[in-house]
Amino acid sequence: PTIKGVLLMPRPPSTCFTLFSDDSRVSEYNDNCKELKDVATILKDEDVHVKVNWCATGRFGPFMARDFTTVVRNERLRGEG
């Protein structure tokens, strides 16, 4: 099974970039993430951050707790605030 969540944030793109680039703030937008750790940084500069992270969730409804790794890319687009 796959679950997809969608969130509309009435904030400037630069605010979203800062939020999603900071692992310590994950609880502000993802209640299911119980633990989050960066495993590797692939690229990090002023406008692009590419990394691999590990996340553990708690039990969610009928779904058991699980853990997984994800390749994450956050990119600030020029002219996007």
Coordinates of all heavy atoms in Angstrom, one line a residue:
P1 N 0.8 -1.2 0.0 CA 0.0 0.0 0.0 C 0.9 1.3 0.0 O 1.9 1.3 0.6 CB -0.8 -0.1 1.3 CG -0.2 -1.2 2.1 CD 0.7 -2.0 1.2
T2 N 0.4 2.3 -0.6 CA 1.1 3.6 -0.7 C 0.2 4.7 -0.1 O -1.0 4.7 -0.4 CB 1.4 3.9 -2.1 OG1 2.3 2.9 -2.7 CG2 2.2 5.2 -2.2
I3 N 0.7 5.5 0.6 CA 0.0 6.7 1.2 C 0.7 7.9 0.6 O 1.9 8.1 0.7 CB 0.0 6.7 2.7 CG1 -0.7 5.5 3.3 CG2 -0.6 8.0 3.2 CD1 -0.5 5.3 4.8
K4 N -0.1 8.8 0.1 CA 0.4 10.1 -0.4 C -0.3 11.2 0.4 O -1.5 11.3 0.5 CB 0.1 10.3 -1.9 CG 0.6 11.6 -2.4 CD 0.3 11.7 -3.9 CE 0.7 13.1 -4.4 NZ 0.4 13.3 -5.8
G5 N 0.6 12.1 0.9 CA 0.1 13.3 1.6 C 0.4 14.6 0.8 O 1.4 14.6 0.1
V6 N -0.5 15.5 0.8 CA -0.3 16.8 0.1 C -0.6 17.9 1.1 O -1.5 17.9 1.9 CB -1.3 16.9 -1.1 CG1 -1.2 18.3 -1.7 CG2 -1.1 15.8 -2.1
L7 N 0.3 18.9 1.0 CA 0.2 20.1 1.9 C 0.4 21.3 1.1 O 1.3 21.4 0.4 CB 1.2 20.0 3.0 CG 1.4 21.2 3.9 CD1 0.2 21.3 4.9 CD2 2.7 21.0 4.8
L8 N -0.5 22.3 1.3 CA -0.3 23.6 0.7 C 0.2 24.5 1.7 O -0.4 24.7 2.8 CB -1.6 24.1 0.1 CG -2.2 23.2 -1.1 CD1 -3.6 23.8 -1.5 CD2 -1.3 23.2 -2.2
M9 N 1.3 25.2 1.5 CA 1.9 26.1 2.4 C 1.8 27.5 1.9 O 2.5 27.9 0.9 CB 3.3 25.7 2.7 CG 3.5 24.4 3.4 SD 5.2 23.9 3.7 CE 5.7 25.2 4.8
P10 N 1.0 28.4 2.5 CA 0.9 29.8 2.0 C 2.1 30.6 2.5 O 2.0 31.5 3.2 CB -0.4 30.3 2.6 CG -0.5 29.5 3.9 CD 0.1 28.1 3.6
R11 N 3.3 30.2 2.0 CA 4.5 30.8 2.4 C 5.4 31.0 1.2 O 5.3 30.3 0.2 CB 5.3 30.0 3.4 CG 4.6 29.6 4.7 CD 4.5 30.9 5.6 NE 3.8 30.6 6.8 CZ 2.6 30.8 7.1 NH1 1.8 31.3 6.2 NH2 2.0 30.6 8.3
P12 N 6.3 32.0 1.3 CA 7.3 32.1 0.1 C 8.1 30.9 -0.1 O 8.4 30.2 0.9 CB 8.1 33.3 0.6 CG 7.5 33.9 1.7 CD 6.6 32.9 2.3
P13 N 8.5 30.6 -1.3 CA 9.4 29.5 -1.6 C 10.6 29.4 -0.7 O 11.1 28.4 -0.3 CB 9.7 29.6 -3.0 CG 8.5 30.3 -3.6 CD 8.1 31.3 -2.5
S14 N 11.2 30.6 -0.4 CA 12.5 30.6 0.4 C 12.2 30.1 1.8 O 13.0 29.4 2.4 CB 13.0 32.0 0.5 OG 12.1 32.9 1.0
T15 N 11.0 30.3 2.4 CA 10.6 29.8 3.7 C 10.5 28.3 3.6 O 11.0 27.6 4.5 CB 9.3 30.5 4.2 OG1 9.5 31.9 4.2 CG2 8.9 30.0 5.5
C16 N 9.9 27.8 2.6 CA 9.7 26.3 2.4 C 11.1 25.7 2.3 O 11.4 24.6 2.9 CB 8.8 26.0 1.3 SG 7.2 26.6 1.4
F17 N 12.0 26.3 1.5 CA 13.3 25.7 1.3 C 14.1 25.6 2.6 O 14.6 24.6 3.0 CB 14.1 26.6 0.3 CG 15.5 26.1 0.1 CD1 15.8 25.1 -0.9 CD2 16.6 26.7 0.8 CE1 17.1 24.7 -1.1 CE2 17.9 26.2 0.6 CZ 18.1 25.3 -0.4
T18 N 14.0 26.7 3.4 CA 14.7 26.7 4.7 C 14.1 25.6 5.6 O 14.8 24.8 6.3 CB 14.5 28.0 5.4 OG1 15.2 29.0 4.5 CG2 15.2 28.1 6.7
L19 N 12.7 25.5 5.7 CA 12.1 24.5 6.5 C 12.4 23.1 6.1 O 12.9 22.3 7.0 CB 10.6 24.7 6.4 CG 9.7 23.6 7.1 CD1 9.9 23.7 8.6 CD2 8.2 23.8 6.8
F20 N 12.3 22.7 4.8 CA 12.6 21.3 4.4 C 14.1 21.0 4.4 O 14.4 19.8 4.4 CB 12.0 21.1 3.0 CG 10.5 21.1 3.0 CD1 9.8 21.9 2.1 CD2 9.7 20.4 4.0 CE1 8.4 21.9 2.1 CE2 8.4 20.4 4.0 CZ 7.7 21.2 3.1
S21 N 14.9 22.0 4.5 CA 16.4 21.7 4.5 C 16.9 21.5 5.9 O 18.0 21.1 6.1 CB 17.2 22.9 3.9 OG 16.9 23.0 2.5
D22 N 16.1 21.7 6.9 CA 16.5 21.6 8.3 C 15.8 20.4 9.0 O 14.6 20.5 9.4 CB 16.1 22.9 9.0 CG 16.5 23.0 10.5 OD1 17.0 21.9 11.0 OD2 16.4 24.0 11.1
D23 N 16.5 19.3 9.1 CA 16.0 18.1 9.7 C 15.4 18.3 11.1 O 14.4 17.6 11.5 CB 17.0 17.0 9.8 CG 17.3 16.4 8.4 OD1 16.6 16.7 7.5 OD2 18.4 15.7 8.3
S24 N 15.9 19.2 11.9 CA 15.5 19.4 13.3 C 14.0 20.0 13.3 O 13.4 19.9 14.3 CB 16.4 20.4 14.0 OG 16.3 21.7 13.5
R25 N 13.5 20.4 12.1 CA 12.2 21.0 12.1 C 11.1 20.0 11.5 O 10.0 20.4 11.3 CB 12.2 22.3 11.3 CG 13.1 23.4 12.0 CD 13.1 24.6 11.2 NE 11.8 25.3 11.2 CZ 11.5 26.3 10.5 NH1 12.3 26.8 9.6 NH2 10.2 26.8 10.5
V26 N 11.5 18.8 11.3 CA 10.6 17.8 10.6 C 9.3 17.7 11.4 O 8.2 17.5 10.8 CB 11.3 16.5 10.4 CG1 11.5 15.7 11.7 CG2 10.5 15.6 9.4
S27 N 9.3 17.8 12.7 CA 8.1 17.6 13.5 C 7.1 18.7 13.2 O 5.9 18.6 13.5 CB 8.4 17.6 14.9 OG 9.0 18.8 15.4
E28 N 7.5 19.8 12.6 CA 6.6 20.9 12.2 C 5.7 20.6 11.1 O 4.6 21.2 10.9 CB 7.4 22.2 11.9 CG 8.1 22.8 13.1 CD 8.9 24.0 12.7 OE1 8.4 24.8 11.9 OE2 10.0 24.2 13.2
Y29 N 6.0 19.6 10.2 CA 5.2 19.2 9.1 C 5.0 17.7 8.9 O 4.2 17.3 8.1 CB 5.8 19.8 7.8 CG 7.2 19.3 7.5 CD1 7.4 18.2 6.7 CD2 8.3 20.0 7.9 CE1 8.6 17.7 6.4 CE2 9.6 19.6 7.6 CZ 9.7 18.4 6.8 OH 11.0 18.0 6.5
N30 N 5.6 16.9 9.8 CA 5.4 15.4 9.6 C 5.3 14.8 11.0 O 6.3 14.5 11.6 CB 6.6 14.8 8.8 CG 6.3 13.4 8.5 OD1 5.5 12.7 9.1 ND2 7.1 12.9 7.6
D31 N 4.1 14.6 11.5 CA 3.8 14.0 12.8 C 4.3 12.5 12.8 O 4.4 11.9 13.9 CB 2.4 14.0 13.1 CG 1.9 15.5 13.4 OD1 2.7 16.3 13.7 OD2 0.7 15.7 13.2
N32 N 4.4 11.9 11.7 CA 4.7 10.4 11.6 C 6.2 10.1 11.8 O 6.5 9.0 12.0 CB 4.2 9.8 10.3 CG 2.7 9.9 10.2 OD1 2.0 9.6 11.2 ND2 2.2 10.3 9.1
C33 N 7.0 11.1 11.6 CA 8.5 10.9 11.6 C 8.9 10.9 13.1 O 8.9 12.0 13.7 CB 9.2 11.9 10.8 SG 11.0 11.7 10.8
K34 N 9.3 9.8 13.6 CA 9.7 9.7 15.0 C 11.2 9.9 15.2 O 11.7 10.4 16.2 CB 9.3 8.4 15.7 CG 7.8 8.1 15.6 CD 7.0 9.2 16.2 CE 5.5 8.9 16.1 NZ 4.7 10.0 16.5
E35 N 12.0 9.5 14.2 CA 13.4 9.6 14.2 C 13.9 10.0 12.8 O 13.3 9.4 11.9 CB 14.2 8.4 14.6 CG 14.1 8.1 16.1 CD 15.0 6.9 16.4 OE1 16.3 7.0 16.3 OE2 14.5 5.8 16.7
L36 N 14.8 10.9 12.7 CA 15.4 11.2 11.4 C 16.8 11.5 11.5 O 17.2 12.3 12.4 CB 14.6 12.5 10.8 CG 15.1 13.0 9.5 CD1 14.8 12.0 8.4 CD2 14.4 14.3 9.2
K37 N 17.6 10.9 10.7 CA 19.1 11.1 10.7 C 19.6 11.2 9.3 O 19.2 10.4 8.4 CB 19.8 10.0 11.4 CG 19.4 9.8 12.9 CD 20.1 8.7 13.5 CE 19.7 8.5 15.0 NZ 20.2 7.4 15.6
D38 N 20.5 12.1 9.0 CA 21.2 12.1 7.7 C 22.2 11.0 7.7 O 23.0 10.9 8.7 CB 21.9 13.5 7.5 CG 20.9 14.6 7.2 OD1 19.7 14.3 6.9 OD2 21.3 15.8 7.3
V39 N 22.2 10.2 6.6 CA 23.2 9.1 6.5 C 24.4 9.6 5.6 O 25.5 9.3 5.9 CB 22.5 7.9 5.8 CG1 23.5 6.8 5.5 CG2 21.3 7.4 6.6
A40 N 24.1 10.4 4.6 CA 25.2 10.9 3.7 C 24.8 12.2 3.1 O 23.6 12.4 2.8 CB 25.5 9.9 2.7
T41 N 25.7 13.1 2.9 CA 25.5 14.3 2.2 C 26.2 14.1 0.8 O 27.4 13.8 0.7 CB 26.1 15.6 2.9 OG1 25.4 15.7 4.1 CG2 26.0 16.8 2.0
I42 N 25.4 14.3 -0.3 CA 26.0 14.1 -1.6 C 26.4 15.4 -2.2 O 27.5 15.5 -2.8 CB 24.9 13.5 -2.5 CG1 24.5 12.1 -1.9 CG2 25.3 13.4 -3.9 CD1 23.3 11.4 -2.5
L43 N 25.6 16.5 -1.9 CA 26.0 17.8 -2.4 C 25.3 18.9 -1.5 O 24.2 18.7 -1.1 CB 25.4 18.0 -3.9 CG 25.5 19.4 -4.5 CD1 27.0 19.8 -4.6 CD2 24.8 19.5 -5.8
K44 N 26.1 19.9 -1.1 CA 25.5 20.9 -0.3 C 26.2 22.2 -0.7 O 27.4 22.4 -0.5 CB 25.7 20.6 1.2 CG 24.9 21.7 2.0 CD 24.9 21.3 3.5 CE 24.1 22.3 4.3 NZ 24.0 21.9 5.7
D45 N 25.4 23.2 -1.2 CA 25.9 24.5 -1.4 C 24.7 25.5 -1.1 O 23.7 25.0 -0.5 CB 26.5 24.7 -2.8 CG 25.4 24.5 -3.9 OD1 24.2 24.7 -3.7 OD2 25.9 24.2 -5.0
E46 N 24.8 26.7 -1.5 CA 23.8 27.7 -1.1 C 22.4 27.4 -1.6 O 21.4 27.7 -1.0 CB 24.3 29.1 -1.6 CG 23.3 30.2 -1.2 CD 23.8 31.5 -1.8 OE1 25.0 31.7 -2.0 OE2 23.0 32.4 -2.0
D47 N 22.4 26.8 -2.8 CA 21.1 26.6 -3.5 C 20.6 25.2 -3.6 O 19.4 25.0 -4.0 CB 21.1 27.2 -4.9 CG 21.3 28.7 -4.9 OD1 20.8 29.4 -4.0 OD2 22.1 29.3 -5.7
V48 N 21.5 24.2 -3.4 CA 21.1 22.8 -3.6 C 21.7 22.0 -2.4 O 22.8 22.2 -2.0 CB 21.7 22.2 -4.9 CG1 21.3 20.8 -5.1 CG2 21.2 23.0 -6.1
H49 N 20.8 21.1 -1.9 CA 21.2 20.2 -0.9 C 20.7 18.8 -1.2 O 19.5 18.6 -1.3 CB 20.7 20.7 0.5 CG 21.2 19.9 1.6 ND1 20.6 20.0 2.9 CD2 22.2 19.0 1.8 CE1 21.3 19.2 3.7 NE2 22.2 18.6 3.1
V50 N 21.6 17.9 -1.5 CA 21.2 16.5 -1.8 C 21.8 15.6 -0.8 O 23.0 15.7 -0.5 CB 21.7 16.1 -3.2 CG1 21.3 14.7 -3.5 CG2 21.2 17.1 -4.3
K51 N 21.0 14.8 -0.2 CA 21.4 13.9 0.9 C 20.6 12.6 0.9 O 19.6 12.5 0.3 CB 21.3 14.6 2.3 CG 19.8 15.0 2.6 CD 19.7 15.8 3.9 CE 18.3 16.2 4.2 NZ 18.2 16.9 5.4
V52 N 21.1 11.7 1.7 CA 20.4 10.5 2.0 C 20.0 10.5 3.5 O 20.9 10.8 4.3 CB 21.2 9.2 1.7 CG1 20.5 7.9 2.1 CG2 21.7 9.2 0.2
N53 N 18.8 10.3 3.8 CA 18.4 10.3 5.2 C 17.7 9.0 5.6 O 17.2 8.3 4.7 CB 17.7 11.5 5.7 CG 16.3 11.6 5.1 OD1 15.7 10.7 4.7 ND2 15.7 12.8 5.2
W54 N 17.7 8.7 6.9 CA 17.0 7.5 7.4 C 15.9 8.0 8.3 O 16.1 8.9 9.1 CB 18.0 6.7 8.2 CG 17.4 5.6 9.0 CD1 17.0 4.3 8.6 CD2 17.0 5.7 10.4 NE1 16.4 3.6 9.6 CE2 16.4 4.4 10.7 CE3 17.1 6.6 11.4 CZ2 15.9 4.2 12.0 CZ3 16.6 6.4 12.6 CH2 16.1 5.1 12.9
C55 N 14.7 7.4 8.2 CA 13.6 7.8 9.0 C 12.9 6.6 9.6 O 12.8 5.6 9.0 CB 12.6 8.6 8.2 SG 11.2 9.2 9.1
A56 N 12.5 6.7 10.9 CA 11.7 5.7 11.5 C 10.3 6.3 11.9 O 10.3 7.4 12.4 CB 12.4 5.2 12.8
T57 N 9.3 5.6 11.6 CA 7.9 6.1 11.9 C 7.4 5.2 13.1 O 7.9 4.2 13.4 CB 7.0 5.9 10.7 OG1 6.8 4.5 10.5 CG2 7.5 6.5 9.5
G58 N 6.4 5.7 13.7 CA 5.6 5.0 14.7 C 4.5 4.2 14.0 O 4.4 4.3 12.7
R59 N 3.8 3.4 14.7 CA 2.6 2.7 14.2 C 1.6 3.8 13.7 O 1.4 4.8 14.3 CB 2.0 1.8 15.2 CG 0.9 1.0 14.7 CD 0.4 0.0 15.8 NE -0.7 -0.8 15.3 CZ -0.5 -2.0 14.7 NH1 0.7 -2.5 14.7 NH2 -1.5 -2.6 14.3
F60 N 1.0 3.5 12.5 CA 0.0 4.4 12.0 C -1.2 3.6 11.5 O -1.1 2.9 10.5 CB 0.6 5.2 10.8 CG -0.3 6.2 10.2 CD1 -0.5 7.4 10.8 CD2 -0.9 5.9 8.9 CE1 -1.4 8.3 10.2 CE2 -1.7 6.9 8.3 CZ -2.0 8.1 9.0
G61 N -2.3 3.7 12.3 CA -3.5 2.9 12.0 C -3.2 1.5 11.9 O -2.5 0.9 12.8
P62 N -3.5 0.8 10.8 CA -3.2 -0.6 10.6 C -1.8 -0.9 10.2 O -1.4 -2.1 10.2 CB -4.2 -1.0 9.5 CG -4.3 0.2 8.6 CD -4.3 1.4 9.6
F63 N -1.0 0.1 10.0 CA 0.4 -0.1 9.5 C 1.4 -0.2 10.7 O 1.3 0.7 11.6 CB 0.8 1.1 8.6 CG -0.1 1.2 7.4 CD1 -1.0 2.2 7.3 CD2 0.0 0.3 6.3 CE1 -1.8 2.4 6.2 CE2 -0.9 0.4 5.3 CZ -1.8 1.5 5.2
M64 N 2.2 -1.1 10.6 CA 3.3 -1.3 11.7 C 4.3 -0.2 11.5 O 4.4 0.4 10.5 CB 4.0 -2.6 11.5 CG 3.0 -3.9 11.6 SD 2.4 -4.0 13.3 CE 3.8 -4.5 14.2
A65 N 5.0 0.1 12.6 CA 6.2 1.0 12.5 C 7.1 0.5 11.5 O 7.3 -0.7 11.2 CB 6.8 1.1 13.9
R66 N 7.8 1.4 10.8 CA 8.8 1.1 9.8 C 9.9 2.0 9.7 O 9.8 3.1 10.3 CB 8.0 1.0 8.4 CG 7.4 2.3 8.0 CD 6.5 2.1 6.8 NE 5.9 3.3 6.4 CZ 6.1 4.1 5.4 NH1 7.0 3.6 4.5 NH2 5.5 5.2 5.1
D67 N 10.9 1.7 9.0 CA 12.0 2.6 8.7 C 12.4 2.5 7.3 O 12.2 1.5 6.6 CB 13.2 2.4 9.7 CG 13.9 1.1 9.5 OD1 13.3 0.1 9.1 OD2 15.1 1.0 9.6
F68 N 13.0 3.6 6.8 CA 13.4 3.6 5.4 C 14.4 4.7 5.1 O 14.6 5.5 6.0 CB 12.1 3.9 4.5 CG 11.3 5.0 4.9 CD1 11.6 6.3 4.4 CD2 10.3 4.9 5.9 CE1 10.8 7.4 4.8 CE2 9.5 6.0 6.3 CZ 9.8 7.2 5.7
T69 N 15.1 4.6 4.0 CA 16.0 5.6 3.6 C 15.5 6.3 2.4 O 14.7 5.7 1.6 CB 17.4 5.0 3.2 OG1 17.3 4.0 2.2 CG2 18.1 4.4 4.5
T70 N 15.8 7.6 2.2 CA 15.3 8.4 1.1 C 16.4 9.3 0.6 O 17.2 9.9 1.4 CB 14.2 9.3 1.6 OG1 13.2 8.5 2.3 CG2 13.5 10.1 0.5
V71 N 16.5 9.5 -0.7 CA 17.4 10.5 -1.3 C 16.5 11.8 -1.4 O 15.4 11.8 -1.9 CB 17.8 10.1 -2.7 CG1 18.6 11.2 -3.3 CG2 18.7 8.8 -2.7
V72 N 17.0 12.8 -0.7 CA 16.3 14.1 -0.6 C 17.1 15.2 -1.4 O 18.3 15.3 -1.2 CB 16.2 14.5 0.8 CG1 15.5 15.8 1.0 CG2 15.5 13.4 1.7
R73 N 16.4 15.9 -2.3 CA 17.0 17.0 -3.0 C 16.1 18.2 -2.7 O 15.0 18.3 -3.1 CB 17.1 16.7 -4.5 CG 17.7 17.9 -5.3 CD 17.7 17.6 -6.7 NE 18.1 18.8 -7.5 CZ 19.3 19.0 -8.0 NH1 20.2 18.0 -7.8 NH2 19.6 20.1 -8.6
N74 N 16.7 19.2 -2.1 CA 16.1 20.6 -1.9 C 16.9 21.5 -2.8 O 18.1 21.6 -2.7 CB 16.1 21.0 -0.5 CG 15.3 20.1 0.4 OD1 14.1 19.9 0.1 ND2 15.9 19.5 1.4
E75 N 16.2 22.3 -3.7 CA 16.8 23.2 -4.5 C 16.1 24.5 -4.5 O 14.9 24.6 -4.7 CB 16.9 22.7 -6.0 CG 17.6 23.6 -7.0 CD 17.8 22.9 -8.3 OE1 17.4 21.8 -8.5 OE2 18.3 23.6 -9.2
R76 N 16.9 25.6 -4.3 CA 16.3 27.0 -4.4 C 16.4 27.4 -5.8 O 17.5 27.4 -6.4 CB 17.2 27.9 -3.5 CG 16.7 29.3 -3.4 CD 17.6 30.3 -2.7 NE 18.3 29.7 -1.6 CZ 17.8 29.8 -0.3 NH1 16.7 30.4 0.0 NH2 18.5 29.2 0.7
L77 N 15.3 27.8 -6.4 CA 15.3 28.2 -7.8 C 15.5 29.7 -7.9 O 14.8 30.4 -7.1 CB 13.9 27.8 -8.5 CG 13.6 26.3 -8.5 CD1 12.3 26.1 -9.1 CD2 14.7 25.5 -9.2
R78 N 16.3 30.2 -8.7 CA 16.5 31.6 -8.9 C 15.3 32.3 -9.3 O 14.5 31.8 -10.1 CB 17.6 31.9 -9.9 CG 19.0 31.4 -9.5 CD 19.5 32.2 -8.3 NE 20.7 31.6 -7.8 CZ 21.2 31.9 -6.6 NH1 20.6 32.8 -5.9 NH2 22.3 31.4 -6.2
G79 N 15.0 33.5 -8.7 CA 13.8 34.3 -9.0 C 12.6 33.7 -8.3 O 11.5 34.2 -8.6
E80 N 12.7 32.8 -7.3 CA 11.6 32.2 -6.7 C 11.5 32.7 -5.2 O 11.1 32.0 -4.3 CB 11.7 30.7 -6.7 CG 11.6 30.1 -8.0 CD 10.2 30.2 -8.6 OE1 9.2 30.1 -7.9 OE2 10.1 30.4 -9.8
G81 N 11.9 33.9 -4.9 CA 11.7 34.5 -3.6 C 12.8 34.1 -2.7 O 12.8 33.7 -1.6

